[in-house]
Amino acid sequence: MTNKKLILGIAAGVAALAVVGVICHKKGYVNFGSMLDKAGGIAGKVKDTLGKIKDSAVAEADSVIQESKNIAGKAIDAATGVNDKASNAVS
């Protein structure tokens, strides 16, 4: 899921909640303020969850980058060793 689709989904959910809130308020089913408080709480939880997912993804990417650097370093060392052996064999 792309970021654009995620943002559009959240925006659609907020818009639907607003419509339902207005309808319920006009019919007297629910206090609009309490509904907004609940929506704010849910939004906070979603924000926290997305923050944790982002932090986890960044940490995983950093780990992969570091491992790639280690592998590249080993490959360079191995190539240098082969090059040195070849140079010594020719000399």
Side-chain angles (χ1 to χ4, degrees):
M1 176 179 267
T2 64
N3 288 338
K4 184 177 180 182
K5 288 181 182 179
L6 178 65
I7 291 169
L8 287 175
I10 291 171
V14 169
L17 180 62
V19 169
V20 169
V22 169
I23 291 170
C24 289
H25 182 65
K26 283 185 178 182
K27 296 207 177 227
Y29 293 131
V30 126
N31 181 358
F32 196 63
S34 68
M35 191 175 198
L36 288 176
D37 290 342
K38 288 179 184 178
I42 292 170
K45 288 179 184 178
V46 169
K47 183 178 177 182
D48 290 344
T49 301
L50 291 176
K52 289 177 185 177
I53 291 170
K54 178 191 156 221
D55 292 343
S56 175
V58 167
E60 186 65 27
D62 288 343
S63 174
V64 168
I65 289 169
Q66 187 59 44
E67 184 63 27
S68 298
K69 286 180 180 179
N70 291 341
I71 291 170
K74 289 177 184 177
I76 289 170
D77 291 344
T80 302
V82 169
N83 187 29
D84 290 344
K85 287 180 183 178
S87 293
N88 290 339
V90 172
S91 299

